[in-house]
């Protein structure tokens, strides 16, 4: 028997998955908040109850992954532990506790014709999630989609196949127990790589794709998809230390934005320093970054102020290092900082440190990024910190959802018109 | 001399147009409401002042179009009159009078970490408009984009080339007069058809495409675009006459939704009638539609009630006739009506006529369309009737903007984080 199942007719299988998801999405759309919350509670309970089966499936995945020579970072992401299962179940329970975004009607206003016009928040329909090795995404993403009234099709990495199928079993049990169709959350059963190609080109069955993974995966999906994609490419985040910055806040925020974690998309990758204060701030910052083990690559003016700083090249201004490396540039004031960010940035998260009210206002308005910050570390750019409760991803696109995407990003608004026999004349 | 200019290097030309638009979009994004309104007033004034030049250019377009044998409907759409120029200028002044959507910060809330998090409404950046023969779209779409703080690239039909270039002259004059870059609103100067292919595949310079025209144009653009598209495909709109409908309202709305205008996307194309009242409503409706010259194509149950009704085929349930033809189906109550609409509809606009509160609620919630209506004619689905003031188009997609798209649909929300030296721990 081969390690993973293949479908003899993949296209027909994916069409069936899509059609079933579309049908289930109608029931999800009209499900009450109580029913949706009951599904999530049942899912959390089922995962806790089926703990041994989940750990066994995961152990098998890990054995195959080790035999295939996968690296330790990937093995780490793939591993489910007892505590990890508890965290996964807790995460699902937290999503159950969030307010239901669906059904709210806003701005219902009387128009001159006599009709009332408003907007109702509704699910998108069917969400496709494509992700790599972390099996906890299966529970987490399914919970966010179901809570927002969407059916979901999940496609995880083949290395996590057994773990994901075990979680899929919990999902099906929870749905059936709550009286919803078990096709409301489907985990693709084949590991055939071309399944992804089908999933992203079925606009009749799938309303949006959310890819979660490395840049290669996301670029491929964005390039080939025939349905909208909520995506996140680079996180080239900037902190600009303005001439009117409080020196203590400047130091604290610059150090935190870089060193609190190196591998996250909201970590600072380029530090911009106003020429007016560079000689006062940069030497001390250079020492602190050196102590923290961060390699600095600077423009010529920055290098003149920090002994041992490497010379940056043009490529450093667009680099997402995800490592203890930082690009540093001295700029001539706010306009030059905004120009640099809008030219080289990735539209993720950018911060200014300043005590000057007008400059803070201009930075907030003029920097073109999904998150703009004043006197705060870029590391705050995250669904939990923003009060969304959980996020399905971070979008660096401007369309539909921007920045951390929570339940609301998985919904849309439809127009509601209430009349009393009104006709147009 | 050839009739229209061709670019020797189209790709380089389009790249230049795109780059200039991106640069101009930065200035538009920070322009004050007063400056944006001044541009629109100046545009309206310039069109009124240059009336003779506009009419001359349009006359030349019409001569070429007649010589090329274009049909009368197209000639009609192409024609600018004195009154048409006044209407165009008035439309632009009305857009100037609308509230500026940009800059508003909403939901600024304190988070447990101490940071304040909110969202600011910002322009999308650069909007590409692709349209066919109506030259008034040039002024109208440019005004909506500029008011919402976006740069715009306009690509009209070649048959309206001289008219559009004349309006482009007014646009440039208005921008320069107001101190904004004249590249904030560019009308493509070549009629080379491949320019569209470039425009829709430059995500680095263009943030969204709005196609306005026939289905062929929109399908081609949706299929080939590498940037988001705000689009409208079919308008297969339904009216469902429920068993609990008030008979007078039912008659009035059904007749109005079909006969007020035949060629518009919000015209009813299928009438659904609850079996419980079909025998009371359909014979009389049949007579009235016959008087109005509407051909009816019905299911077998409908045909049994209306003498002379043609038999409908499966294709009639998905037809957008845009003509005095109406499909009619008798259904067994609300569930069957919702099923029919969600299966055969195009997600544009659907209405229920009922006095039953619970059924109205279910219809509003469960019908998957950009506009759902209770006791009102589908003909109301329109930006002006909804109080948007003007619309750039109607979207039948669920993503980003749905239904009539006004200024807000040309904007996005970015996250704003205000701290006071806050770092993440």
């Amino acid at each position: 028997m081969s390690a993973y199942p293949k479908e003899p007719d993949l296209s027909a299988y994916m069409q069936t998955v899509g059609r079933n998801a579309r049908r289930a999405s109608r029931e999800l759309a009209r499900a009450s908040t109580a029913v949706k919350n009951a599904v999530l509670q049942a899912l959390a309970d089922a995962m806790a109850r089926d703990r041994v089966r989940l750990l066994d499936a995961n152990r098998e995945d890990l054995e195959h992954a080790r035999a295939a020579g996968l690296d330790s970072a990937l093995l780490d992401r793939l591993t489910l532990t007892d505590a990890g299962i508890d965290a996964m179940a807790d995460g699902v329970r937290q999503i159950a506790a969030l307010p239901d975004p669906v059904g709210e009607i806003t701005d219902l206003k009387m128009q001159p014709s006599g009709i009332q016009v408003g907007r109702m928040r509704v699910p998108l329909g069917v969400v496709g999630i494509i992700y790599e090795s972390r099996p906890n995404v299966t529970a987490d993403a399914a919970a966010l989609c179901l809570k927002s009234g969407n059916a979901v099709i999940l496609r995880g990495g083949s290395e996590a196949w057994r773990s994901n199928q075990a979680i899929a079993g919990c999902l099906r049990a929870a749905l059936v127990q709550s009286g919803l169709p078990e096709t409301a959350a489907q985990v693709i059963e084949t590991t055939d790589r071309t399944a992804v190609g089908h999933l992203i080109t079925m606009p009749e069955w799938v309303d949006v794709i959310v890819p979660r993974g490395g840049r290669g995966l996301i670029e491929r999906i964005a390039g080939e998809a025939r349905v909208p994609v909520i995506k996140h490419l680079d996180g080239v985040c900037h902190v600009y230390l303005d001439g009117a910055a409080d020196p203590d806040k400047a130091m604290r925020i610059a150090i935190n934005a870089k060193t609190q974690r190196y591998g996250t998309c909201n970590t600072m990758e380029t530090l911009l320093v106003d020429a007016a204060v560079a000689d006062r701030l940069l030497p001390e910052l250079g020492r602190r970054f050196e102590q923290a083990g961060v390699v600095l690559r600077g423009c010529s003016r920055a290098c003149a102020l920090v002994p041992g700083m490497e010379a940056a090249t043009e490529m450093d201004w667009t680099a997402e290092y995800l490592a203890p490396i930082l690009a540093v540039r001295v700029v001539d004031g706010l306009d030059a900082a905004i120009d640099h960010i809008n030219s080289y940035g990735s539209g993720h998260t950018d911060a200014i440190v300043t005590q000057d009210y007008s400059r803070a206002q201009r930075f907030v308005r003029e920097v073109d990024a999904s998150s703009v910050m004043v006197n705060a570390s870029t590391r705050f750019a995250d669904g939990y910190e923003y009060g969304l409760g959980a996020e399905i991803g971070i979008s660096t696109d401007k369309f539909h959802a921007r920045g951390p995407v929570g339940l609301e990003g998985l919904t849309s608004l439809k127009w509601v018109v209430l009349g009393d026999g009104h006709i147009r004349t």
Side-chain angles (χ1 to χ4, degrees), chain A:
Chain A
M1 184 197 132
S2 84
Y4 311 112
K6 302 272 178 190
E7 279 294 322
D9 185 347
L10 188 70
S11 171
Y13 169 71
M14 291 302 294
Q15 286 290 320
T16 303
V17 168
R19 190 177 300 109
N20 288 342
R22 173 65 74 212
R23 199 174 298 138
S25 76
R26 308 272 181 223
E27 292 199 41
L28 255 295
R30 64 171 173 251
S32 68
T33 306
V35 166
K36 292 187 288 187
N37 289 347
V39 172
L40 301 199
Q41 295 293 354
L43 170 61
D45 293 348
M47 291 191 298
R49 195 178 56 227
D50 290 359
R51 177 184 302 275
V52 173
R53 202 166 52 80
L54 264 59
L55 291 172
D56 283 348
N58 187 248
R59 199 171 302 117
E60 264 194 82
D61 278 335
L62 285 166
E63 278 163 22
H64 280 82
R66 275 191 212 97
L70 297 191
D71 68 32
S72 64
L74 199 144
L75 290 173
D76 189 47
R77 287 199 292 275
L78 179 55
T79 302
L80 274 183
T81 61
D82 232 17
I85 290 173
D86 288 337
M88 201 158 65
D90 277 355
V92 170
R93 286 195 188 96
Q94 281 166 24
I95 293 168
L98 292 174
D100 188 342
V102 170
E104 181 190 30
I105 297 184
T106 48
D107 301 326
L108 196 66
K109 285 183 192 152
M110 191 67 81
Q111 298 301 322
S113 63
I115 58 174
Q116 282 183 291
V117 180
R119 294 205 281 183
M120 176 185 255
R121 196 161 280 288
V122 291
L124 286 172
V126 178
V127 181
I129 313 274
I130 300 165
Y131 51 110
E132 293 177 329
S133 44
R134 290 182 198 276
N136 62 314
V137 173
T138 310
D140 186 45
L144 282 165
C145 291
L146 294 172
K147 177 74 187 225
S148 52
N150 294 287
V152 59
I153 303 173
L154 298 138
R155 161 65 192 212
S158 57
E159 65 284 355
W161 186 78
R162 293 170 190 80
S163 311
N164 289 338
Q165 292 302 324
I167 298 169
C170 299
L171 263 167
R172 277 193 301 269
L175 285 162
V176 169
Q177 185 183 326
S178 313
L180 286 173
E182 63 178 27
T183 51
Q186 299 175 84
V187 178
I188 300 291
E189 288 180 9
T190 168
T191 55
D192 191 324
R193 285 180 149 263
T194 55
V196 170
H198 288 278
L199 185 58
I200 65 178
T201 52
M202 307 193 300
E204 65 280 29
W205 308 131
V206 177
D207 294 291
V208 60
I209 294 287
V210 185
R212 289 175 52 158
R215 192 183 166 91
L217 175 80
I218 292 169
E219 278 188 334
R220 184 192 144 203
I221 287 167
E224 295 172 15
R226 303 308 318 149
V227 295
V229 178
I230 294 178
K231 69 178 181 296
H232 166 274
L233 285 170
D234 293 320
V236 182
C237 302
H238 299 77
V239 174
Y240 166 58
L241 307 180
D242 180 57
D246 174 294
D248 286 344
K249 293 176 194 166
M251 296 285 173
R252 190 158 71 229
I253 289 169
I255 297 289
N256 181 264
K258 184 67 210 179
T259 66
Q260 204 236 348
R261 273 180 75 186
Y262 293 117
T264 49
C265 61
N266 55 19
T267 296
M268 167 176 68
E269 301 292 16
T270 299
L271 175 69
L272 302 173
V273 186
D274 190 342
V277 289
D279 58 343
R280 268 173 289 160
L281 296 178
L282 264 184
E284 172 66 13
L285 269 172
R287 277 188 291 278
R288 296 209 202 165
F289 277 122
E290 196 188 350
Q291 282 164 16
V294 176
V295 174
L296 302 181
R297 296 189 187 161
C299 67
S300 57
R301 290 201 278 179
C303 286
L305 293 167
V306 180
M309 187 186 272
E310 295 177 14
T313 67
E314 184 74 9
M315 289 180 55
D316 285 296
W317 309 134
T318 53
E320 185 181 21
Y321 302 115
L322 299 171
I325 309 171
L326 178 68
V328 182
R329 189 173 196 178
V330 175
V331 293
D332 293 312
L334 179 66
D335 284 298
I338 293 173
D339 274 356
H340 179 100
I341 294 169
N342 285 341
S343 303
Y344 295 105
S346 65
H348 191 296
T349 300
D350 303 295
I352 185 175
V353 183
T354 190
Q355 294 299 111
D356 184 290
Y357 177 81
S358 299
R359 291 188 208 158
Q361 291 282 94
R362 280 198 54 207
F363 189 90
V364 163
R365 177 143 188 177
E366 295 178 30
V367 165
D368 187 17
S370 69
S371 290
V372 285
M373 302 189 166
V374 179
N375 293 331
S377 168
T378 56
R379 287 280 298 125
F380 281 112
D382 164 304
Y384 287 96
E385 295 290 343
Y386 284 7
L388 303 183
E391 66 184 29
I392 192 98
I394 292 183
S395 163
T396 53
D397 289 322
K398 292 182 191 175
F399 214 64
H400 186 73
R402 205 172 180 191
V405 179
L407 293 173
E408 190 188 292
L410 296 172
T411 65
S412 177
L413 293 167
K414 71 180 174 191
W415 294 91
V416 174
V417 176
L418 305 180
D420 190 25
H422 288 79
I423 59 171
R424 191 157 166 193
T425 48

